[in-house]
Amino acid sequence: GESTERKNPAQPPAAPDTAPMVVEDGYLTVSDGVKLRYHLEYLEGAENGPVLLQYDGYSAGTGPDFGSLPELKERLLPKGYRFLGVSIRGTGCSGGGNFDLFSPVWAKDGAEVVEWAAAQSWSNGVVGMLGYSYPGIMQLFTAAEQPPHLKAIAPANVITDLYADVGAPGGILNVSFASLFTVQQEAPSGAAVPSSVLAGDAECGANHLTNFASYRAFVVEGLLDGTYRDDGFDYDKRSVSKDLSKITVPMLNVLYWQDEQTGSRMGGFIQPGGFYKKTDLSKVWTLWSNGNHDFTYHNKTYVDLAEKFFDHYLRGQKNGWERTPHIQIMHEVRADDETANWVTTYNELPNPEPVAFYLDANGALSRQPTQETASTNYLYPFLSPGINPFPGGLPIPTLLPNMIPPDALDVLWKVPGSPAHQAVFTTEPFTQDEQFLGSGSADLWLSSTSNEIDIQVTLSEIRADGNEVYIQRGWQRASKRKLDDTLSTATHPVPTFLRKDGAALAPGEVVAVRAEVWPFAHLIRKGSALRLTIDTPSPVTGDWGFFISMIPSVNTIYHAKDRPSKLVLGRVATAPNVPPAPACGNLLSQPCR
């Protein structure tokens, strides 16, 4: 039923640290009769406080370990917060069957869950949402429905364009992640089900069996019927990007450049038509840094921000939150202590200046267009070096302590590439520090002996001592090179990815192909150089591996006066008094060789 807004005390009495946990499991029924499983936790003795909802397809409502951020939860429970997990229909112990990823009904369910939670006797009528990745994405879908009692969301590590952000980066099907996501979907809920069944919840077991069977069938359908954006899989229907402008509640967001699961693209990021152009930055606060997907789980900076954010918007606490910078960039977060070398803040979207580096003869990357007529060949396909191979990034301090060598993430990066199978271009050492931010574009004139190739571009820094530090990657299928000119910029190519625009290569034909370099922030210091490597997409970029064209070919990159292949990056002002770079190998998710 409908609920009325209840008084929200600014400072509800804290529960004692020793207060017992109240735990409740059950089902709530949405408007079409489907029953969703929920799991509720709060401390006994605290006055009714706000509800923090985690709504996802892992195990949010199915078992006690529903993935809430542990340190944040520990801080907020004594303040009266109620932590509520709800399993999306067709997942875990929830009913509904026929798993249908990011179906519009999931958003409508989420809004109904918010209103149900606000009306419960253990709630004060104020609801917020939290969680990263899957539950982060579901916050965006739910908030776009504008449920009246939803007052704030904290969606970390999200995608907004299912096709371009993760399903088929550069138009190349991301088979590895689709398969891994299926396992990630199955495992948490599967592990949580036995306790529910033992507690006498036969409905949970029956629902789980139905849902388990549908996960895999759905992934296969997507891979078979999702080559282009407008194929039968219908990526646009499943993407929240079209509804971002409907989100009106305050939002705290997190993005990591080397995120091995959801990536850093986030539907265009700061570009026209992208995330921060569609949302109102006056109501958005965001934290950007290098790092891996699960860094959110133990990122102290984020936890501190989230506590203050929720206390302000859900408890009415006057804690000065409005003075928090809307954008904070943590630069060069170190792997050993997970702290930033320095922080840059903005209250408006930065506007990076496009800076071009031109491919030139003998592997040069120059500031001026070449006057030569030259080209560089490389053989395709080949097993190119992998990067950040472990899910979640390792080592995680709380997982297998002292069992993972500190250089575990560097192993694949240290495997040398084959010179015959790469086209490598490197600048002269920089004469001053230069700070780059946002996406980039590798604008290539190329030809191939084949009718289809898949391109990978990798940026790295060559330090003065010769060590090479990973920065970022991007990909593009040559046949999907047609651009949406209304959205593309000098630093951000946006292909249409529509079937009608697909165009195979004619062997030997020279065409222009722009490959997006995914968003990043990186400082190239005086004395270091910038390197661009063009080769075959790696089967291991984090959790991503692509279904590439396997036709052997000789590919040619042209760098001539009339065909000026170039790399275009966005440059912003360099912060003063920047500390020295962390040691080789001590940048989180940026290995060194």
Side-chain angles (χ1 to χ4, degrees), residues 309-327:
F309 173 78
F310 284 131
D311 278 349
H312 179 71
Y313 285 110
L314 303 187
R315 296 176 63 219
Q317 190 177 87
K318 295 180 179 179
N319 56 14
W321 175 260
E322 299 95 330
R323 296 190 296 274
T324 304
H326 284 269
I327 297 170

Side-chain angles (χ1 to χ4, degrees), residues 427-499:
T427 67
E428 292 293 320
F430 280 34
T431 58
Q432 61 183 12
D433 293 358
E434 294 186 52
Q435 176 71 56
F436 298 99
L437 174 67
S439 56
S441 180
D443 301 346
L444 306 177
W445 289 92
L446 59 83
S447 67
S448 176
T449 58
S450 165
N451 65 356
E452 182 70 284
I453 58 171
D454 292 307
I455 301 158
Q456 174 176 274
V457 294
T458 302
L459 291 190
S460 56
E461 174 193 356
I462 309 299
R463 292 186 172 181
D465 60 8
N467 285 315
E468 183 176 7
V469 179
Y470 173 75
I471 299 175
Q472 191 57 292
R473 270 184 172 161
W475 303 268
Q476 184 61 43
R477 173 157 283 189
S479 65
K480 298 180 180 178
R481 60 191 179 274
K482 172 69 173 176
L483 297 180
D484 182 336
D485 292 328
T486 64
L487 292 177
S488 297
T489 68
T491 58
H492 186 235
V494 183
T496 66
F497 297 125
L498 300 177
R499 183 168 284 278

Side-chain angles (χ1 to χ4, degrees), residues 124-190:
N124 71 355
V126 176
V127 182
M129 296 183 75
L130 83 166
Y132 67 104
S133 194
Y134 204 159
I137 299 163
M138 291 314 305
Q139 291 177 58
L140 301 176
F141 277 100
T142 300
E145 296 290 315
Q146 301 181 351
H149 289 86
L150 183 63
K151 302 304 180 185
I153 60 175
N157 308 73
V158 300
I159 62 168
T160 66
D161 180 339
L162 183 59
Y163 185 89
D165 288 359
V166 71
I172 316 168
L173 285 177
N174 188 356
V175 179
S176 293
F177 185 73
S179 303
L180 177 64
F181 178 73
T182 308
V183 175
Q184 289 177 317
Q185 180 91 23
E186 294 170 354
S189 59

